[in-house]
Amino acid sequence: MKPMGPIPAGFKERDGELVIGSKPARALVDEAGRTPLFIYSGDLIERRISELRDAMPKKLEINYAVKANPFAPLITHMRGRVDGFDIASSGELEVVKAAGIDPESVSFAGPGKRETELEAAITFGATLNCESEREAAKSIAIGERLGIKPRIAIRVNPDFELRGSGMKMGGGAKQFGIDSERVVPLARRLIDSGVEWRGFHIYTGSQSLDADAIVETQANVLQLARKLTEEIGAKLPKLNMGGGFGIPYFHGDKPLDVRKIGAALGDEFSRLPSDYDETRFCVELGRYLVGEAGVYVTRIIERKESHGETFLITDGGLHHQLAASGNFGTVVRRNYPLANVEKFGAPVQEVASVVGCLCTPLDRLGDKVELPVCEEGDLFAIFCAGAYGASASPSAFLGQGAAGELLVLGS
Ligand SMILES: *Cc1c(COP(=O)(O)O)cnc(C)c1O
């Protein structure tokens, strides 16, 4: 037997069935007419955002990193609930445009932006989080050609990182951002060239459950931003402090203590000199806002015994939920939380492995987990599927096709 992660708070049980929003998961699957199906709860996303706002200083803006889940109805649901949207491609730009998001609240990061992408973002009015001197020069030239003043911030590659984070994206040699010692001359050049100066973007890592590590990093980010601002000699309009807020996926993971982070950040803000009264501060969060609000529902096609072990073979797999299979940036594969949809909370009766339908041994969704007896035709849920699922998995692999997606509104 191997343990599984904790089932996220907010999923209810009614008559032994998993309920999402106000509806049983089975009814939602029938409505969608298909499995595999990602179901996202608009209500849980909303609750997550309001709890986070309660914990954070009022002054802090909360942005959504579209990369985590770009499903169009979900983006529309986020409009007005978060303060901004961070995108990382012109494809994501199209998504926010279609959702009617205010250009002023959109920022565009990512190395290797093509000229067509820069042009599209400048025309739209998004802020470019500039990742190199070369990109800055191209952006200035495009702005001049179009007769538009580009909004430009500098993405800084800091000399520190978010301790213990799942994916390190700052500190040392990186393809992201501009090394901090090169930021000041570039910022001066940008300001002199007449672009709209938008400050800094400092992103240091992802998926941290360690509040102390995040507190330490945010203090470092503020210190670096102040040092650079003083050297540049122009007021700081905006600071994107990055994110890194993680969610519990695995056995033993504890939810992040956001109150602790909020209190420490409040102290930091209260110590800022008055030069920063007008500065806007934001964090950019992906999985923390949506990850636990999504469930990936599959159907059991067959129960199979082999050498004394039971396999539950589903119609889903790593082509939709690469992360749950352990093949998306994890060193050791561990079990996501999972459950039989119509035997939700039922007592454990056996140990079985839940696998996908792909012809590869990598396609494991649950390894030797304790479950009630599951039969052919049963619906099976894998939790923590709201981020990096449908859009971050190789849906073309083995020709099984994409999963359905559904946003459920109402509680
Ligand atoms: C991936 C990414 C995010 C979102 O990361 P999460 O772990 O989902 O919060 C935010 N900002 C940048 C720059 C990123 O690359």
Side-chain angles (χ1 to χ4, degrees):
M1 189 273 286
K2 293 185 186 166
M4 62 171 89
I7 290 179
F11 289 100
K12 288 166 281 183
E13 185 242 298
R14 196 191 300 149
D15 304 327
E17 269 199 72
L18 171 65
V19 174
I20 303 171
S22 56
K23 286 195 185 161
R26 163 72 72 174
L28 292 167
V29 167
D30 290 346
E31 212 171 274
R34 62 177 301 181
T35 52
L37 178 68
F38 284 94
I39 305 175
Y40 313 118
S41 163
D43 179 49
L44 290 184
I45 294 171
E46 213 171 315
R47 267 202 255 170
R48 174 51 60 98
I49 295 169
S50 72
E51 283 166 14
L52 184 64
R53 285 201 193 279
D54 280 349
M56 292 294 139
K58 287 260 167 320
K59 187 184 176 74
L60 185 73
E61 298 180 14
I62 294 170
N63 287 4
Y64 175 57
V66 172
K67 174 179 85 174
N69 189 334
F71 184 49
L74 185 143
I75 299 297
T76 305
H77 183 66
M78 295 287 230
R79 191 185 59 202
R81 293 187 163 89
V82 293
D83 303 301
F85 291 81
D86 296 303
I87 57 169
S89 70
S90 53
E92 290 185 352
L93 177 63
E94 290 308 314
V95 172
V96 296
K97 250 194 214 175
I101 308 295
D102 176 8
E104 212 277 322
S105 73
V106 176
S107 60
F108 182 6
K113 299 183 192 76
R114 266 74 84 205
E115 297 221 17
T116 50
E117 294 185 298
L118 294 170
E119 181 166 333
I122 291 169
T123 306
F124 178 63
T127 294
L128 295 168
N129 290 335
C130 181
E131 310 245 358
S132 73
E133 286 94 350
R134 181 87 184 96
E135 189 183 300
K138 285 181 194 168
S139 304
I140 293 170
I142 291 169
E144 280 168 3
R145 175 161 55 76
L146 298 175
I148 302 173
K149 210 174 177 180
R151 295 171 162 154
I152 302 186
I154 293 179
R155 179 169 182 180
V156 182
N157 176 27
D159 290 330
F160 51 84
E161 60 190 17
L162 176 55
R163 257 195 300 127
S165 77
M167 279 191 204
K168 292 188 174 52
M169 292 179 66
K174 287 281 178 308
Q175 75 265 49
F176 306 109
I178 296 170
D179 295 349
S180 46
E181 61 277 11
R182 280 164 37 196
V183 166
V184 173
L186 179 63
R188 289 213 184 106
R189 217 176 318 141
L190 283 166
I191 294 167
D192 290 346
S193 77
V195 307
E196 186 178 329
W197 171 237
R198 301 279 277 190
F200 307 118
H201 173 215
I202 308 180
Y203 189 79
T204 52
S206 246
Q207 181 50 25
S208 171
L209 293 173
D210 182 348
D212 292 323
I214 292 177
V215 167
E216 178 190 302
T217 299
Q218 289 185 334
N220 288 337
V221 165
L222 279 168
Q223 194 183 16
L224 175 60
R226 284 179 62 177
K227 178 173 161 280
L228 294 171
T229 298
E230 274 158 41
E231 288 173 28
I232 293 164
K235 278 200 176 178
L236 181 64
K238 183 156 187 186
L239 176 62
N240 178 334
M241 310 182 64
F245 293 26
I247 60 172
Y249 288 104
F250 306 119
H251 177 71
D253 283 355
K254 293 276 175 295
L256 182 65
D257 185 352
V258 286
R259 299 215 155 261
K260 191 171 198 179
I261 298 170
L265 193 55
D267 287 348
E268 289 285 344
F269 283 166
S270 69
R271 284 198 291 271
L272 287 172
S274 59
D275 286 354
Y276 294 87
D277 285 354
E278 308 288 308
T279 306
R280 291 166 59 193
F281 295 88
C282 72
V283 283
E284 50 173 356
L285 306 175
R287 74 188 77 214
Y288 189 77
L289 301 184
V290 298
E292 288 171 281
V295 181
Y296 175 59
V297 182
T298 63
R299 195 182 299 272
I300 296 175
I301 302 299
E302 200 178 313
R303 258 185 86 93
K304 185 172 185 174
E305 308 293 329
S306 170
H307 290 290
E309 287 186 26
T310 301
F311 292 87
L312 303 168
I313 303 173
T314 69
D315 62 359
L318 71 77
H319 54 308
H320 304 144
Q321 246 309 26
L322 187 65
S325 76
N327 294 291
F328 190 61
T330 35
V331 181
V332 180
R333 191 199 168 282
R334 290 182 291 167
N335 291 321
Y336 271 40
L338 31 89
N340 186 312
V341 163
E342 284 156 304
K343 294 172 185 162
F344 192 52
V348 169
Q349 293 167 307
E350 65 174 9
V351 171
S353 289
V354 184
V355 299
C357 56
L358 300 189
C359 199
T360 160
L362 299 177
D363 198 8
R364 287 182 292 167
L365 297 171
D367 198 22
K368 298 192 179 77
V369 283
E370 291 186 311
L371 295 168
V373 172
C374 302
E375 307 288 352
E376 203 176 297
D378 284 0
L379 294 179
F380 207 85
I382 291 109
F383 293 86
C384 296
Y388 306 109
S391 70
S393 303
S395 66
F397 189 31
L398 276 151
Q400 297 277 355
E405 291 183 278
L406 183 70
L407 175 74
V408 187
L409 299 175
S411 53

